[in-house]
Amino acid sequence: MDQSKIISSEVNEAQIAVHWKEEEIYRPSAKFIAQANLKDASVMDRFSEKNFPGCFTEYAEMLTWIEPWREILDTSDPPFWKWFTGGKLNACFNCVDRHLEKYKNKAALIFVPEAEEEAPVAITYQEIYARVNEVAAMLRDFAGLTSGDRVTIHMPMIPELPITMLACARLGVIHSVVFGGFSGEACGLRAADSGSRVLIYADSYYRGGKLIDHKSSAEVAVESARREGQNIDKVLVWRRYPGKYGSVTPMVEGRDFFVDEVLKNFRGKKIQPVAMDAEAPLFLMYTSGTTGKPKGCQHRTGGYLAYVTGTSKYFQDIKPEDVYWCMADIGWITGHSYIVYGPLALGATSVIYEGVPNYPSAARPWKIAERLDVNIFHTSPTAIRMLRKAGFDEPQKYDFHFKHMTTVGEPIEPEVWKWYYEVVGKGEAVIVDTWWQTETGGFLCSTKPALDAMKPGSAGPGVPGIYPIIYDEDNQEMQAGSGKAGNLCIRNPWPGIIQTIWGDRERFVRQYYQKYCRNPQSKDWKDWPYFAGDGALMAADGYLRILGRVDDVINVAGHRLGTKELESACLTVDEVAEAAVVPVVDEIKGRMPEIYISLKPGIKASPADVKAKVTQTIETMIGKIARPKTVQIVPDMPKTRSGKIMRRVLAAISNHMNVGDISTLANPDIVEQIRVQVQGQGPVETQEGPEDVKHFGTVE
Ligand code: PRX
């Protein structure tokens, strides 16, 4: 390793110590550049501060408007920015109707069922149009929904999910999709918060080879909403196989209805798309905060749709002739922005896969890519790590060729990035590491795929029109290239930012703007930087290295260490497949990192040797300050259904605290196994931990 590249920096308490080594850069291939949507370097000038906010009309003009906007950015009520005010449009029209003339015969969605015996189903734009209209008619005339009403949708990855979302958008009904893997309880609380009186469900779906009974969670949802004071009048249930009920829960007379039966009354019905104000809310997406109940992130129609369309075109490089597969779940923001709204607004073909990436084996994604000739692939570091662990050489066995690949959602370790690049991308595809959040609507930081070099582990610079800045705790700007990290902020508003937190304006201001607002009376956007809640450092070239949530920073003897930095170091050890680092209370140092690792299959080295190697690697790559208290080798990590490692649970185990609710985990059984390994047999310990450890890993 080139020791000279290790940055070591003296930091004060307001800053975060960083020990990353800068990676070598990779350049996009000439073949990719030749065909890219974004190859004109003048884009940075077009979107430079002197052209703000007018630059964003470039994105708005990609849409079809019913009435033009009067003002691009209205700053009269900071920080509640309004975009494209006076304009009217319909999101469903933009994603469906307007493509019919040219593309009615083209697949809008390709649904890949989890069971390999079930063939993929291509749904054309014409078919989506017909189905969305019928569903919109049902929602309006059977469920009594009208524009501005909220509806909670708790559905898995089946095409009826985007069809339902688009039907809502056609009517101006605000949808709130709750990730299918969440519990009925979680769904009910969100339904109550949003004031939904209609729930839309699926009866069942496949996951890991099993048909899961999903409708049973609707009973819990209705009950938990009722406890919060919200009555649910109707539960509309899509059946995975129309006519065949896949749940054991009885349907409640007068409340529950099978969608396939109700739709018979709306066959061939057409509903005029409702002209919505640009500022009308399009949807809510709930996300966890460090404290309190989940926040209903409220996204607007015009600005959001413009932003995801523009960024899909430039950063996903989507063209109508591409086969684009984002392996996220539509129940998260990535799915809303980059499976449904962005790609469909561009007339693309978007693949929806029902199941888990490793069913029946870790070759599944590559088989799907080969079969459908997918050429743009989008997934998370967690999925990449998992596929790398379970099938390192599998991608080589299949004949697929990506031109473009995305990683999103967490920092990616350079080791993992290189596997993605060499083995999955076969050295041909560009990679964009896109940093953004539920609140931001779309990508904020990324390399420009044909224009910028790629740096493994770095999320690239601010995308056009986004001006990132790093502040320390004392409001001092951390200079690019200083080697010091702080809190990542965005200096300016952009069209994809949420309007507010549903029903809680005060929390919106407190969470994102209070910390760095220069003057609460000011109507100048320059006084209102957006606080993202992530630790990051900016290299001299403007590329951002994300260290994780600021709440996930471990303070060791007064030095704040990014957990990701440690995890990434662990992954350079050959034997290690996955790593998670949590803080453990230490009498002398305050906190120390405790390291959990899982190993690649077939490892011969002894556990003691691997542990010693991990400790030594951390000491060499980061320093003795980061020496772990212990290294635990575990058979698997506790994970959410979306695949994120639950560091919160590991931190609780390490600190002998209550592990909290683990019912929504993909593998809840592993928790007790790890607990016994770490704490020994004996009673479950539930001591109260310190605040930072209690909150560690709770922000998703
Ligand atoms: O900590 C950052 C991390 O994910 C957080 C946002 O999570 P969520 O709202 O669930 O949205 C996920 C999909 C956009 C961020 O605050 N994060 C997201 N993308 C990256 C990332 N961390 C590092 N690199 C990324 N590319």
Side-chain angles (χ1 to χ4, degrees), residues 287 332-334 381 407-412 433-440 445 459 532-534 546-549 644 700:
T287 185
W332 306 115
I333 191 70
T334 304
T407 156
V408 64
E410 334 151 50
I412 185 165
D433 180 342
T434 57
W435 172 83
W436 58 296
Q437 308 174 300
T438 304
E439 294 87 339
T440 73
C445 293
D534 277 342
I546 312 292
L547 304 178
R549 302 291 304 171
K644 283 201 184 180
E700 281 170 10

Side-chain angles (χ1 to χ4, degrees), residues 72 81 227 232 248 290 332 350 367 392 408 441 447 453 463 473 524 576-577 622 642:
I72 298 166
W81 318 117
R227 270 201 316 273
I232 303 293
V248 296
T290 318
W332 306 115
S350 188
K367 285 194 214 169
F392 196 95
V408 64
T447 46
V463 300
E473 287 290 317
D524 184 347
V576 175
I622 297 165
S642 69

